[in-house]
Amino acid sequence: ADVIALQEVDRDTYRTGRADLAAVAAGACGMAHVFGGSRWYPGGRYGNALLVRGTISAATVTKLPARRFWLEQRTALEASVTVDGRTVWVVGTHLSVPRDQNAVQLAWLLDHLRRRPQPQVVLGDLNRPRELVEPEAAAAGLHAASHGPTFPVAKPRRTIDHVLVSPGLEVVRTEVRPTPMSDHAALVVDLA
């Protein structure tokens, strides 16, 4: 893989024995990485990570809006990554589960990304079905990769994980691949 987006990643939490899981995964893959904390979790942080077979020249964590203050803070991890001489603005995110909440977060994020560098790839668990994501992405000038269900991993029935790409990038192939490491199947997307 050139880029891997991970959600629900712990760094220095007690439940993982104070491990930096993004660093462990990146080290095993021989990749650069960046971690973006979304919230405090006992002993450390919990959030998103990007692993890159190349370089990461800039990264920022962007807080997503919350309609209900008691819900978990959600974020987008944005980074400028270069792989094989090609620089892309990559965004990894994990939106809230309630549909009214993730609708606001996705609309806000897509509007926010209009002011970010091109080309762009948005990856993550959007907790929204394809029939809602595709028109929202298209209205923002992004193409949603078509693929099968990704959740739950044992017998996927829901398509809630997505990859969105800006003009100039073409989705060549998609694959939904079960792994023992998550309750979601991995979504593998080849771009040209």
Side-chain angles (χ1 to χ4, degrees):
D2 292 324
V3 176
I4 300 172
L6 302 173
Q7 297 83 40
E8 299 183 9
V9 179
D10 284 9
R11 184 172 71 183
D12 299 329
T13 63
Y14 295 134
R15 69 180 173 183
T16 61
R18 312 278 302 189
D20 182 343
L21 296 183
V24 170
C29 296
M31 301 173 90
H33 77 283
V34 61
F35 171 82
S38 297
R39 62 177 288 228
W40 177 85
Y41 202 87
R45 303 284 292 165
Y46 167 90
N48 302 299
L50 293 171
L51 283 60
V52 177
R53 187 188 58 78
T55 60
I56 301 168
S57 58
T60 187
V61 176
T62 303
K63 286 185 177 184
L64 300 176
R67 284 189 147 169
R68 299 178 190 122
F69 69 89
W70 63 86
L71 289 175
E72 177 183 329
Q73 174 65 61
R74 301 299 177 128
T75 63
L77 176 57
E78 304 179 57
S80 177
V81 306
T82 303
V83 177
D84 295 334
R86 173 83 178 194
T87 301
V88 178
W89 191 254
V90 176
V91 181
T93 193
H94 184 191
L95 303 185
S96 293
V97 174
R99 193 172 283 185
D100 66 327
Q101 184 75 4
N102 62 40
V104 169
Q105 291 169 342
L106 183 58
W108 186 92
L109 180 61
L110 293 174
D111 182 61
H112 167 77
L113 292 176
R114 293 179 195 270
R115 297 176 291 283
R116 293 300 198 193
Q118 296 284 329
Q120 297 176 357
V121 178
V122 180
L123 312 128
D125 179 355
L126 304 185
N127 276 311
R128 289 183 70 68
R130 176 180 28 230
E131 62 269 15
L132 295 179
V133 171
E134 285 179 344
E136 294 166 341
L142 300 173
H143 171 73
S146 296
H147 58 85
T150 55
F151 182 81
V153 69
K155 292 184 180 178
R157 296 180 306 280
R158 297 175 58 208
T159 306
I160 58 174
D161 301 284
H162 300 279
V163 173
L164 313 176
V165 298
S166 66
L169 297 174
E170 176 188 358
V171 175
V172 176
R173 184 181 74 87
T174 62
E175 177 188 353
V176 175
R177 184 182 303 171
T179 75
M181 298 168 32
S182 176
D183 59 339
H184 294 242
L187 175 55
V188 181
V189 178
D190 290 338
L191 301 176

